[in-house]
Each structure stands twice: as C-alpha cells, then as structure tokens.
Amino acid sequence: MSFFFTSESVSEGHPDKVSDAISDGILDAIYEHDPQARVACETFVTTGLVLVGGEITTKTYIDVPAVVRKTVENIGYTKADYKFDSESCSVLNAIHSQSPDIAMGVDTGGAGDQGIMFGYACDQTPELMPMPIVFAHKLVKKLADIRKKNAKLMPYLRPDSKSQVTIEYDDNGKPLRVDAVVISTQHDGDAKQNKIKSDVIKHVIKKVIPAKYLDKNTKYFVNPTGRFEIGGPHGDSGLTGRKIIVDTYGGWAPHGGGAFSGKDPSKVDRSATYAARHIAKNVVAAKLAKECLVQLSYAIGVAKPISVYVDTKGTGVIPDSEISKMIQKEVDLTPKGIISRLKLRRPIYQKTSAYGHFGRNDKDFTWEYLDLVPVFKKYAKK
C-alpha cells in the first residue's frame, strides 16, 4: 500500500528567514574577531522595522545596524515598493550580556542548556536526506538564483517564496513519484498569473525535479490564491527560530524543539543537533543501516550527554543498542569535543540560515562530512 508524505521550505526572503539571516549574520560578524564569544541573538522583523535582541558576551564590537542593512540588501529587499528595504528600515538594538548563571556552567565545559537533539539520515537521496525536503529546498533556492543571477528570465520575481512537495512512496518506503508541487512566489504587481505559472513549471520545477519523478498525474499549484504581491516582512512579521522543521528534515524525523540561528555552538541546540546529523549520516553511509535516527540529551552545565538513543527502524545490520555503544565509544559528544571536531567556532553560519542546515554540499558544513565512515564500517564486521 503506497503512502504520501509532504515537506515544505521557504526562501531567504521569507520574513522568518530574514530574521534567521540577521541573527546568524551578527553571530558571524562577532566570530570574525572573537570566536570565544557567547551569542544568543534573536531578531524580529515587520513593516519598516528590525528589532535585534538577546544575550551576547564578547570582547569585540560590531556595528549591528550595518550588519542588519547588509543582510537585508543581500537578500534582495532594496526597493521602497516592498515596504521593507535595507536603506529605510529602522533598526532597534536590545542586546545585553549572557546571564552569569548560564556562563558558570558553560565556562567549565558543560552544555549551555538542557535539551534533546535529533539527527537523521536515510538512503532516499544522494544527500542521505528525505526526498520531499530536498526537492522543497531546491525549488525555492532555484527561484532565488534566477532572481539574483538571471533576472531577465523571470524579471517580476520578488524575494519571498514558499514551496511544498508531496512524494508518493511504496509500502517499503521507496520514493516512487512526485504527486504534487506547490510554489507561491512573490511578484511585481503587473505580472500575469498565467505567465508566472508557466515560467515556474518550465524554469523551476522541471529544472529541479528529475523527469523520472514527474508524470501526467503530477499536480502543480503555483500561487494558488491567484496573487502574491505583498510579501516579506510587510506581508507578515518574522521571528528567529520559527522555521525549525524547514531547517531540519521537513517533518520526516523528530525535532527536539530548539532553534539554531543566532546561537553560538556552546548552545547544544545547535552544535549537538549538527553532531547528531553527522553521526546518523555516517552510520547510513557506512552501510550499518538504511536509515538512522540519533537522539542526544544534555543537562545544563554537564559535559557528556545524559543519553544516546539510536533507532534504525529495523534496517540496522547490527542491533541499535550496539550502534549506540559504538557512538559513545568512538565519538566525543561533549560540547568541547563537538565544537573541536566540527570546527564550529568560525563565521560560517549565515549561509545555514536558509535552504536547510543539512544535506548540502558545502565545505564549511563539516557535519555533512563522511569522515567517520571508516571507523563505523569496522563494526559491521564484528
């Protein structure tokens, strides 16, 4: 019996992603000069306004308004018509230092907070990610690339967009086909909807999704309300950390609840989630399982995880309990160990803020490396 599963993504111009990019931009600006800084930065955006707050302890100085305006400009909000643009938006700064109660635990090498973090991988795609979220990310990324690099192709595009992809699977969980694609893209006021739909199908959907997954029964919904002129922070307010399912696995795997953007890696919400993905991906790549879910849990101020849970959904070549023991033996899961192994004290974070934190081929995304495969493969022979 086949089943259907859907995931969504949003572009860098979505108001929540504007907020994520600003928060991560501030983290990167600080890390350029102070990689030991403690950063937990939150951003709120709405019509003509950016509010930046949070807890930051650093030895350096950054020009917060300059970072905000540059980020907004790079995303593409550069026209007054958008009712939110890089030159005219107000920037309010409400940042203060990190609580000494939190710092006390982190200074000794402990986790910056309690929490549960999940990592996941599967063999559905070359990225070792669930197929719906991979295609959903690539669709909105393609829209942004056209808007920024080949604007003549679709000159009416504006920065805000969303995608949604439904995949039909067989009863063994193998992807069969794309059942439906939904794309909503912001556009200039004089653009015709028939033209937008035709262009999106031709230049975006059919360029991103392999033809073997599209058939005569695939359904296309492009701007299904019929119009999407008002968008971005003017169309809806945005807030850092509100798209955590978009950031991870599109709902296919659990999420512990903590957001990533604006947080330095002493916060296990970010670093341990990256570590869990790194481990799960290497387990699958080492052929120990066809899919793998890893959960890590931490207590504030305590360095080692409280628990390491593994679930291969019955696909493991060795018991899940043995994989958990292997992970704890071979991988340092203290915050210090994770930060060192994945080289996380670098200004690499703003580019994670849109199009997903996982499944991307970027040299700075060290949690996507397959460097643990040789170590893990040894356990398949035991």
Side-chain angles (χ1 to χ4, degrees):
M1 190 81 177
S2 65
F3 65 93
F4 300 83
F5 193 87
T6 303
S7 294
E8 72 159 347
S9 183
V10 297
S11 73
E12 64 204 67
H14 186 281
D16 292 332
K17 283 294 155 195
V18 173
S19 296
D20 285 345
I22 291 170
S23 293
D24 276 333
I26 289 169
L27 172 59
D28 280 356
I30 291 171
Y31 261 21
E32 287 279 0
H33 305 285
D34 183 8
Q36 299 301 317
R38 303 280 168 74
V39 181
C41 180
E42 309 275 353
T43 303
F44 168 79
V45 298
T46 188
T47 304
L49 174 66
V50 177
L51 171 61
V52 181
E55 301 81 43
I56 297 178
T57 300
T58 180
K59 298 176 182 178
T60 193
Y61 167 81
I62 63 164
D63 187 339
V64 171
V67 173
V68 169
R69 296 187 192 284
K70 187 63 177 177
T71 300
V72 172
E73 177 186 359
N74 289 342
I75 290 170
Y77 287 109
T78 57
K79 300 178 181 179
D81 289 350
Y82 300 160
K83 304 295 191 293
F84 179 89
D85 68 271
S86 58
E87 292 189 1
S88 68
C89 65
S90 298
V91 180
L92 302 183
N93 184 347
I95 293 170
H96 58 86
S97 61
Q98 184 183 58
S99 161
D101 294 340
I102 297 174
M104 183 170 55
V106 179
D107 290 343
T108 58
D113 202 352
Q114 71 176 50
I116 56 174
M117 297 82 201
F118 290 93
Y120 179 79
C122 61
D123 63 0
Q124 292 182 27
T125 62
E127 296 88 351
L128 301 185
M129 288 282 287
M131 186 175 285
I133 191 65
V134 169
F135 286 165
H137 284 323
K138 288 182 177 180
L139 289 169
V140 285
K141 180 65 164 59
K142 184 67 172 178
L143 279 168
D145 288 344
I146 291 173
R147 176 173 56 84
K148 291 180 170 183
K149 302 173 184 178
N150 194 11
K152 291 182 180 179
L153 195 62
M154 299 172 69
Y156 48 79
L157 291 177
R158 291 184 175 184
D160 195 358
S161 64
K162 302 177 77 170
S163 67
Q164 191 168 282
V165 177
T166 301
I167 303 290
E168 181 179 1
Y169 291 83
D170 68 16
D171 55 3
N172 293 315
K174 179 183 178 181
L176 298 175
R177 54 183 290 275
V178 173
D179 185 66
V181 180
V182 182
I183 292 184
S184 295
T185 182
Q186 188 186 13
H187 56 81
D188 290 342
D190 57 356
K192 304 298 183 184
Q193 290 303 318
N194 288 342
K195 173 66 171 170
I196 296 173
K197 182 172 183 177
S198 174
D199 284 349
V200 165
I201 293 173
K202 178 180 178 180
H203 300 305
V204 180
I205 296 174
K206 292 191 174 181
K207 294 294 184 181
V208 165
I209 300 177
K212 66 180 181 180
Y213 292 113
L214 301 173
D215 58 35
K216 63 180 181 179
N217 295 318
T218 300
K219 299 178 284 290
Y220 303 104
F221 302 91
V222 179
N223 286 4
T225 66
R227 191 168 186 80
F228 187 9
E229 181 181 353
I230 299 171
H234 179 55
D236 191 9
S237 60
L239 191 64
T240 299
R242 202 156 55 179
K243 286 291 179 286
I244 56 177
I245 301 303
V246 169
D247 286 344
T248 52
Y249 307 102
W252 187 276
H255 190 293
F260 308 145
S261 289
K263 295 179 181 178
D264 78 81
S266 72
K267 282 75 174 173
V268 284
D269 278 341
R270 186 168 216 161
S271 56
T273 303
Y274 289 178
R277 161 64 180 173
H278 183 224
I279 292 166
K281 184 177 182 180
N282 277 266
V283 166
V284 173
K287 307 297 184 182
L288 292 181
K290 292 177 68 66
E291 65 175 306
C292 181
L293 177 71
V294 175
Q295 186 207 52
L296 306 175
S297 68
Y298 290 83
I300 188 168
V302 179
K304 290 186 177 181
I306 303 303
S307 67
V308 179
Y309 168 79
V310 174
D311 184 3
T312 62
K313 312 295 182 182
T315 69
V317 300
I318 61 175
D320 292 351
S321 60
E322 293 301 312
I323 297 177
S324 176
K325 291 177 183 176
M326 172 195 75
I327 292 167
Q328 294 177 73
K329 178 181 178 181
E330 300 291 349
V331 184
D332 185 349
L333 291 172
T334 64
K336 182 179 179 180
I338 293 169
I339 291 167
S340 175
R341 184 175 67 258
L342 299 181
K343 300 177 175 63
L344 296 180
R345 291 199 183 278
R346 298 177 294 144
I348 60 172
Y349 294 105
Q350 191 171 59
K351 57 186 170 182
T352 71
S353 64
Y355 314 118
H357 292 245
F358 309 124
R360 292 169 59 181
N361 183 22
D362 187 299
K363 64 180 178 62
D364 287 328
F365 286 47
T366 51
W367 49 93
E368 294 296 312
Y369 289 6
L370 297 177
D371 51 313
L372 295 176
V373 168
V375 176
F376 287 178
K377 274 187 173 179
K378 296 175 184 177
Y379 287 80
K381 302 173 184 178
K382 291 185 178 181

